């Protein structure tokens, strides 16, 4: 008689809340408020930067795709060089993303298991574009008028109006993102107002948990 393997203990399901928005909308600022309130936030872009420098098989695949110069003389991923190649080559960008995104997905799944809060938050500019919202319990979109975002990013990054405008034009239009979002934060006012809206959403999420 073959002894049956015991069923693995079900992992406590944690609810993933996606945080997204276009450039300069306030994703990072909202995420910091959420962390201050005691919830963990996974910063996809920050983690991705780390992953490309700490994952030798991925590094090999990226070099095979883009050449050895994708990593600089100190062995670090060269965003500048890679950016120049993929900027005008959508096919190459897609191929690069098809290498990096699965690695980020695995990293995120491991990260989720390290946290024991009922909600974990994932900040990513590409929540709807990559359909990552499909694996989220709820999504939060932060949005603000274009002029407001332009000014904030120009101040923050020392970029020109034209540079920021080009990035904005290449992102999914706000009106499309709004259709997908469960919660929408309008970030045209001050930080106190932004914090208040964030806390209101946290309250609704907590209430939702109690009701279920
Ligand atoms: P990116 O997509 O470029 O990473 P982001 O969506 O994460 O941007 P933040 O970095 O949070 O946006 O905000 C952009 C800039 O605007 C930051 O310098 C931030 O401090 C500032 N900012 C955000 N919201 C407000 C606000 N309500 N009042 C004043 N400044 C703000």
């Amino acid at each position: 008689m073959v002894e049956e393997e015991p069923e693995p203990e079900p992992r406590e399901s944690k609810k993933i809340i996606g945080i997204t928005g276009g450039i300069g909308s306030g994703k990072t600022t909202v995420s910091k408020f959420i962390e201050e309130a005691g919830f963990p936030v996974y910063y996809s872009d920050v983690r991705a930067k780390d992953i490309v420098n700490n994952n030798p098989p991925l590094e090999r695949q990226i070099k095979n795709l883009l050449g050895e110069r994708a990593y600089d003389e100190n062995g670090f991923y060269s965003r500048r060089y890679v950016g120049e190649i993929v900027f005008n080559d959508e096919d190459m960008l897609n191929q690069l993303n098809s290498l990096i995104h699965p690695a980020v997905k695995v990293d995120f799944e491991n990260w989720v298991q390290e946290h024991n809060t009922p909600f974990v938050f994932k900040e990513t500019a590409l929540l709807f574009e990559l359909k990552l919202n499909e694996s989220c319990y709820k999504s939060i979109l932060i949005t603000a008028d274009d002029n407001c975002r332009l000014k904030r990013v120009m101040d923050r990054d020392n970029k020109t109006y034209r540079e920021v405008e080009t990035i904005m034009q290449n992102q999914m239009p706000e009106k499309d993102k709004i259709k997908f979002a469960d919660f929408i934060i309008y970030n045209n006012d001050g930080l106190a107002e932004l914090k208040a809206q964030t806390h209101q959403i946290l309250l609704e999420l907590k209430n939702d948990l109690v009701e279920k």
Side-chain angles (χ1 to χ4, degrees):
M1 187 183 127
V2 182
E3 206 168 302
E4 277 191 24
E5 285 276 324
E7 284 284 316
E9 284 288 313
R11 284 171 161 179
E12 193 203 339
S13 67
K14 283 172 212 112
K15 293 184 162 60
I16 299 164
I17 315 293
I19 303 170
T20 196
I23 183 167
S25 56
K27 295 179 291 298
T28 311
T29 311
V30 165
S31 299
K32 297 290 172 203
F33 293 149
I34 289 173
E35 281 190 301
E36 280 168 23
F39 293 97
V41 180
Y42 182 92
Y43 294 89
S44 303
D45 200 37
V46 177
R47 297 287 285 218
K49 283 179 192 154
D50 193 49
I51 290 165
V52 289
N53 282 314
N54 291 296
N55 183 328
L58 177 64
E59 178 173 335
R60 188 66 261 151
Q61 289 174 313
I62 292 174
K63 284 180 177 168
N64 289 347
L65 179 69
L66 302 173
E68 297 297 313
R69 286 180 61 201
Y71 285 75
D72 66 19
E73 61 277 15
N74 298 315
F76 289 108
Y77 181 77
S78 173
R79 274 173 86 87
R80 174 185 285 261
Y81 179 77
V82 173
E84 280 167 10
I85 296 183
V86 300
F87 188 68
N88 284 316
D89 189 336
E90 202 180 332
D91 180 54
M92 199 61 108
L93 176 63
N94 289 340
Q95 288 190 60
L96 177 66
N97 283 339
S98 71
L99 299 178
I100 296 177
H101 291 159
V104 176
K105 185 169 185 279
V106 169
D107 183 65
F108 175 68
E109 283 163 0
N110 291 335
W111 177 89
V112 168
Q113 296 311 320
E114 290 164 14
H115 293 91
N116 281 320
T117 46
F119 296 113
V120 291
F121 292 78
K122 181 184 203 176
E123 192 243 54
T124 166
L126 300 175
L127 189 74
F128 302 131
E129 291 83 338
L130 297 180
K131 297 188 168 43
L132 300 171
N133 54 318
E134 289 175 2
S135 51
C136 289
Y137 174 65
K138 299 275 178 187
S139 61
I140 303 173
L141 171 70
I142 298 109
T143 186
D145 294 346
D146 288 1
N147 277 339
C148 190
R149 291 161 57 207
L150 272 155
K151 188 175 175 322
R152 284 177 185 157
V153 178
M154 285 163 64
D155 287 349
R156 186 193 61 188
D157 297 346
N158 216 8
K159 282 191 161 71
T160 65
Y161 186 96
R162 185 78 197 113
E163 283 170 324
V164 185
E165 190 183 45
T166 304
I167 297 170
M168 282 172 67
Q169 284 167 351
N170 285 320
Q171 294 185 325
M172 184 189 274
E174 298 295 292
K175 65 175 175 24
D176 293 340
K177 290 184 182 166
I178 284 171
K179 287 187 229 157
F180 293 116
D182 294 302
F183 298 103
I184 302 172
I185 293 180
Y186 291 93
N187 184 19
N188 289 317
D189 299 311
L191 290 170
E193 169 61 23
L194 184 63
K195 193 173 197 167
Q197 290 189 68
T198 306
H199 281 202
Q200 180 58 35
I201 291 173
L202 290 177
L203 192 64
E204 287 183 36
L205 285 171
K206 284 183 204 162
N207 287 342
D208 195 33
L209 203 64
V210 174
E211 282 164 17
K212 292 232 156 115

mmCIF file of all heavy atoms in Angstrom, residues 19-47:
data_model
loop_
_atom_site.group_PDB
_atom_site.id
_atom_site.type_symbol
_atom_site.label_atom_id
_atom_site.label_comp_id
_atom_site.label_asym_id
_atom_site.label_seq_id
_atom_site.Cartn_x
_atom_site.Cartn_y
_atom_site.Cartn_z
ATOM 1 N N ILE A 19 -1.096 49.099 -5.539
ATOM 2 C CA ILE A 19 -1.059 50.573 -5.513
ATOM 3 C C ILE A 19 -0.443 51.006 -6.831
ATOM 4 O O ILE A 19 0.654 50.559 -7.187
ATOM 5 C CB ILE A 19 -0.150 51.090 -4.378
ATOM 6 C CG1 ILE A 19 -0.597 50.562 -3.023
ATOM 7 C CG2 ILE A 19 -0.092 52.619 -4.380
ATOM 8 C CD1 ILE A 19 0.411 50.853 -1.911
ATOM 9 N N THR A 20 -1.142 51.868 -7.550
ATOM 10 C CA THR A 20 -0.584 52.273 -8.833
ATOM 11 C C THR A 20 -0.931 53.718 -9.170
ATOM 12 O O THR A 20 -1.681 54.381 -8.447
ATOM 13 C CB THR A 20 -1.063 51.305 -9.945
ATOM 14 O OG1 THR A 20 -0.236 51.477 -11.093
ATOM 15 C CG2 THR A 20 -2.523 51.525 -10.312
ATOM 16 N N GLY A 21 -0.375 54.177 -10.261
ATOM 17 C CA GLY A 21 -0.608 55.551 -10.712
ATOM 18 C C GLY A 21 0.482 55.929 -11.693
ATOM 19 O O GLY A 21 1.528 55.275 -11.751
ATOM 20 N N GLY A 22 0.230 56.963 -12.468
ATOM 21 C CA GLY A 22 1.222 57.415 -13.444
ATOM 22 C C GLY A 22 2.379 58.122 -12.771
ATOM 23 O O GLY A 22 2.414 58.269 -11.541
ATOM 24 N N ILE A 23 3.313 58.553 -13.587
ATOM 25 C CA ILE A 23 4.497 59.234 -13.064
ATOM 26 C C ILE A 23 4.087 60.459 -12.224
ATOM 27 O O ILE A 23 3.208 61.236 -12.619
ATOM 28 C CB ILE A 23 5.463 59.647 -14.213
ATOM 29 C CG1 ILE A 23 6.723 60.289 -13.626
ATOM 30 C CG2 ILE A 23 4.782 60.555 -15.232
ATOM 31 C CD1 ILE A 23 7.861 60.435 -14.624
ATOM 32 N N GLY A 24 4.680 60.567 -11.045
ATOM 33 C CA GLY A 24 4.453 61.729 -10.187
ATOM 34 C C GLY A 24 3.084 61.796 -9.547
ATOM 35 O O GLY A 24 2.702 62.814 -8.962
ATOM 36 N N SER A 25 2.326 60.706 -9.604
ATOM 37 C CA SER A 25 0.968 60.763 -9.053
ATOM 38 C C SER A 25 0.979 60.785 -7.524
ATOM 39 O O SER A 25 0.072 61.321 -6.901
ATOM 40 C CB SER A 25 0.151 59.559 -9.539
ATOM 41 O OG SER A 25 0.815 58.357 -9.200
ATOM 42 N N GLY A 26 2.019 60.156 -6.934
ATOM 43 C CA GLY A 26 2.106 60.112 -5.473
ATOM 44 C C GLY A 26 2.115 58.696 -4.919
ATOM 45 O O GLY A 26 1.864 58.486 -3.720
ATOM 46 N N LYS A 27 2.425 57.715 -5.765
ATOM 47 C CA LYS A 27 2.439 56.298 -5.322
ATOM 48 C C LYS A 27 3.364 56.076 -4.134
ATOM 49 O O LYS A 27 3.001 55.433 -3.156
ATOM 50 C CB LYS A 27 2.949 55.370 -6.443
ATOM 51 C CG LYS A 27 2.100 55.293 -7.664
ATOM 52 C CD LYS A 27 2.714 54.365 -8.690
ATOM 53 C CE LYS A 27 4.001 54.881 -9.312
ATOM 54 N NZ LYS A 27 3.894 56.125 -10.060
ATOM 55 N N THR A 28 4.583 56.611 -4.271
ATOM 56 C CA THR A 28 5.566 56.381 -3.203
ATOM 57 C C THR A 28 5.123 57.067 -1.921
ATOM 58 O O THR A 28 5.228 56.498 -0.829
ATOM 59 C CB THR A 28 6.958 56.900 -3.636
ATOM 60 O OG1 THR A 28 7.228 56.395 -4.935
ATOM 61 C CG2 THR A 28 8.041 56.470 -2.679
ATOM 62 N N THR A 29 4.590 58.272 -2.050
ATOM 63 C CA THR A 29 4.165 59.031 -0.867
ATOM 64 C C THR A 29 3.037 58.288 -0.146
ATOM 65 O O THR A 29 3.066 58.122 1.083
ATOM 66 C CB THR A 29 3.709 60.448 -1.290
ATOM 67 O OG1 THR A 29 4.705 61.005 -2.145
ATOM 68 C CG2 THR A 29 3.504 61.341 -0.103
ATOM 69 N N VAL A 30 2.072 57.807 -0.908
ATOM 70 C CA VAL A 30 0.968 57.039 -0.307
ATOM 71 C C VAL A 30 1.512 55.759 0.334
ATOM 72 O O VAL A 30 1.114 55.378 1.443
ATOM 73 C CB VAL A 30 -0.104 56.713 -1.382
ATOM 74 C CG1 VAL A 30 -1.059 55.635 -0.907
ATOM 75 C CG2 VAL A 30 -0.867 57.972 -1.763
ATOM 76 N N SER A 31 2.446 55.115 -0.353
ATOM 77 C CA SER A 31 3.007 53.860 0.176
ATOM 78 C C SER A 31 3.701 54.091 1.516
ATOM 79 O O SER A 31 3.640 53.250 2.414
ATOM 80 C CB SER A 31 3.991 53.263 -0.829
ATOM 81 O OG SER A 31 3.324 52.965 -2.024
ATOM 82 N N LYS A 32 4.360 55.233 1.628
ATOM 83 C CA LYS A 32 5.036 55.545 2.908
ATOM 84 C C LYS A 32 3.999 55.726 4.018
ATOM 85 O O LYS A 32 4.205 55.286 5.153
ATOM 86 C CB LYS A 32 5.905 56.807 2.784
ATOM 87 C CG LYS A 32 7.051 56.681 1.790
ATOM 88 C CD LYS A 32 8.140 55.732 2.270
ATOM 89 C CE LYS A 32 9.177 55.477 1.174
ATOM 90 N NZ LYS A 32 9.931 54.235 1.317
ATOM 91 N N PHE A 33 2.885 56.373 3.705
ATOM 92 C CA PHE A 33 1.815 56.531 4.714
ATOM 93 C C PHE A 33 1.309 55.148 5.144
ATOM 94 O O PHE A 33 1.017 54.915 6.323
ATOM 95 C CB PHE A 33 0.641 57.341 4.155
ATOM 96 C CG PHE A 33 0.942 58.796 3.870
ATOM 97 C CD1 PHE A 33 0.297 59.469 2.834
ATOM 98 C CD2 PHE A 33 1.859 59.502 4.634
ATOM 99 C CE1 PHE A 33 0.552 60.807 2.569
ATOM 100 C CE2 PHE A 33 2.124 60.848 4.382
ATOM 101 C CZ PHE A 33 1.473 61.501 3.345
ATOM 102 N N ILE A 34 1.192 54.262 4.167
ATOM 103 C CA ILE A 34 0.680 52.915 4.464
ATOM 104 C C ILE A 34 1.678 52.155 5.346
ATOM 105 O O ILE A 34 1.297 51.473 6.304
ATOM 106 C CB ILE A 34 0.364 52.166 3.145
ATOM 107 C CG1 ILE A 34 -0.870 52.799 2.498
ATOM 108 C CG2 ILE A 34 0.157 50.678 3.386
ATOM 109 C CD1 ILE A 34 -1.211 52.293 1.109
ATOM 110 N N GLU A 35 2.964 52.317 5.051
ATOM 111 C CA GLU A 35 3.990 51.675 5.895
ATOM 112 C C GLU A 35 3.947 52.247 7.314
ATOM 113 O O GLU A 35 4.037 51.494 8.294
ATOM 114 C CB GLU A 35 5.371 51.889 5.286
ATOM 115 C CG GLU A 35 5.661 50.956 4.133
ATOM 116 C CD GLU A 35 7.111 51.003 3.705
ATOM 117 O OE1 GLU A 35 7.579 52.097 3.327
ATOM 118 O OE2 GLU A 35 7.777 49.974 3.754
ATOM 119 N N GLU A 36 3.789 53.558 7.399
ATOM 120 C CA GLU A 36 3.701 54.199 8.730
ATOM 121 C C GLU A 36 2.523 53.638 9.528
ATOM 122 O O GLU A 36 2.558 53.569 10.749
ATOM 123 C CB GLU A 36 3.495 55.717 8.582
ATOM 124 C CG GLU A 36 4.762 56.490 8.283
ATOM 125 C CD GLU A 36 4.450 57.934 7.853
ATOM 126 O OE1 GLU A 36 3.354 58.456 8.196
ATOM 127 O OE2 GLU A 36 5.290 58.505 7.147
ATOM 128 N N ALA A 37 1.472 53.253 8.799
ATOM 129 C CA ALA A 37 0.285 52.696 9.474
ATOM 130 C C ALA A 37 0.487 51.221 9.828
ATOM 131 O O ALA A 37 -0.428 50.581 10.362
ATOM 132 C CB ALA A 37 -0.947 52.867 8.583
ATOM 133 N N GLY A 38 1.639 50.670 9.498
ATOM 134 C CA GLY A 38 1.973 49.320 9.953
ATOM 135 C C GLY A 38 1.829 48.209 8.928
ATOM 136 O O GLY A 38 1.914 47.034 9.277
ATOM 137 N N PHE A 39 1.627 48.577 7.671
ATOM 138 C CA PHE A 39 1.474 47.536 6.643
ATOM 139 C C PHE A 39 2.715 47.479 5.748
ATOM 140 O O PHE A 39 3.274 48.522 5.401
ATOM 141 C CB PHE A 39 0.242 47.820 5.770
ATOM 142 C CG PHE A 39 -1.046 47.700 6.520
ATOM 143 C CD1 PHE A 39 -1.672 48.823 7.034
ATOM 144 C CD2 PHE A 39 -1.612 46.451 6.740
ATOM 145 C CE1 PHE A 39 -2.850 48.730 7.744
ATOM 146 C CE2 PHE A 39 -2.795 46.340 7.449
ATOM 147 C CZ PHE A 39 -3.422 47.482 7.960
ATOM 148 N N PRO A 40 3.106 46.256 5.354
ATOM 149 C CA PRO A 40 4.268 46.156 4.479
ATOM 150 C C PRO A 40 3.937 46.530 3.027
ATOM 151 O O PRO A 40 2.854 46.228 2.542
ATOM 152 C CB PRO A 40 4.665 44.676 4.575
ATOM 153 C CG PRO A 40 3.456 43.962 5.024
ATOM 154 C CD PRO A 40 2.572 44.941 5.750
ATOM 155 N N VAL A 41 4.873 47.194 2.387
ATOM 156 C CA VAL A 41 4.702 47.571 0.974
ATOM 157 C C VAL A 41 5.880 47.030 0.166
ATOM 158 O O VAL A 41 7.042 47.226 0.540
ATOM 159 C CB VAL A 41 4.630 49.112 0.793
ATOM 160 C CG1 VAL A 41 4.448 49.463 -0.685
ATOM 161 C CG2 VAL A 41 3.505 49.727 1.624
ATOM 162 N N TYR A 42 5.558 46.364 -0.914
ATOM 163 C CA TYR A 42 6.570 45.861 -1.855
ATOM 164 C C TYR A 42 6.708 46.894 -2.966
ATOM 165 O O TYR A 42 5.738 47.195 -3.667
ATOM 166 C CB TYR A 42 6.092 44.527 -2.430
ATOM 167 C CG TYR A 42 7.051 43.863 -3.386
ATOM 168 C CD1 TYR A 42 7.997 42.942 -2.943
ATOM 169 C CD2 TYR A 42 6.992 44.124 -4.760
ATOM 170 C CE1 TYR A 42 8.866 42.311 -3.829
ATOM 171 C CE2 TYR A 42 7.852 43.496 -5.647
ATOM 172 C CZ TYR A 42 8.785 42.593 -5.169
ATOM 173 O OH TYR A 42 9.639 41.959 -6.054
ATOM 174 N N TYR A 43 7.905 47.442 -3.101
ATOM 175 C CA TYR A 43 8.142 48.465 -4.127
ATOM 176 C C TYR A 43 8.730 47.772 -5.356
ATOM 177 O O TYR A 43 9.937 47.490 -5.414
ATOM 178 C CB TYR A 43 9.094 49.538 -3.600
ATOM 179 C CG TYR A 43 8.520 50.347 -2.460
ATOM 180 C CD1 TYR A 43 8.666 49.946 -1.134
ATOM 181 C CD2 TYR A 43 7.802 51.518 -2.712
ATOM 182 C CE1 TYR A 43 8.129 50.679 -0.083
ATOM 183 C CE2 TYR A 43 7.257 52.264 -1.671
ATOM 184 C CZ TYR A 43 7.428 51.831 -0.361
ATOM 185 O OH TYR A 43 6.881 52.569 0.666
ATOM 186 N N SER A 44 7.883 47.499 -6.344
ATOM 187 C CA SER A 44 8.297 46.658 -7.476
ATOM 188 C C SER A 44 9.516 47.191 -8.211
ATOM 189 O O SER A 44 10.425 46.425 -8.551
ATOM 190 C CB SER A 44 7.145 46.520 -8.472
ATOM 191 O OG SER A 44 6.033 45.989 -7.820
ATOM 192 N N ASP A 45 9.531 48.503 -8.435
ATOM 193 C CA ASP A 45 10.625 49.059 -9.225
ATOM 194 C C ASP A 45 11.951 48.982 -8.464
ATOM 195 O O ASP A 45 12.988 48.630 -9.026
ATOM 196 C CB ASP A 45 10.286 50.513 -9.588
ATOM 197 C CG ASP A 45 11.092 50.982 -10.779
ATOM 198 O OD1 ASP A 45 11.320 50.156 -11.683
ATOM 199 O OD2 ASP A 45 11.523 52.145 -10.787
ATOM 200 N N VAL A 46 11.890 49.266 -7.176
ATOM 201 C CA VAL A 46 13.093 49.208 -6.332
ATOM 202 C C VAL A 46 13.612 47.769 -6.280
ATOM 203 O O VAL A 46 14.800 47.505 -6.434
ATOM 204 C CB VAL A 46 12.778 49.717 -4.902
ATOM 205 C CG1 VAL A 46 13.988 49.591 -3.997
ATOM 206 C CG2 VAL A 46 12.281 51.158 -4.938
ATOM 207 N N ARG A 47 12.676 46.822 -6.084
ATOM 208 C CA ARG A 47 13.076 45.411 -6.016
ATOM 209 C C ARG A 47 13.653 44.943 -7.348
ATOM 210 O O ARG A 47 14.612 44.189 -7.391
ATOM 211 C CB ARG A 47 11.883 44.525 -5.627
ATOM 212 C CG ARG A 47 11.315 44.798 -4.252
ATOM 213 C CD ARG A 47 12.183 44.317 -3.121
ATOM 214 N NE ARG A 47 12.163 42.902 -2.917
ATOM 215 C CZ ARG A 47 12.189 42.304 -1.716
ATOM 216 N NH1 ARG A 47 12.203 43.027 -0.612
ATOM 217 N NH2 ARG A 47 12.219 40.995 -1.614
#
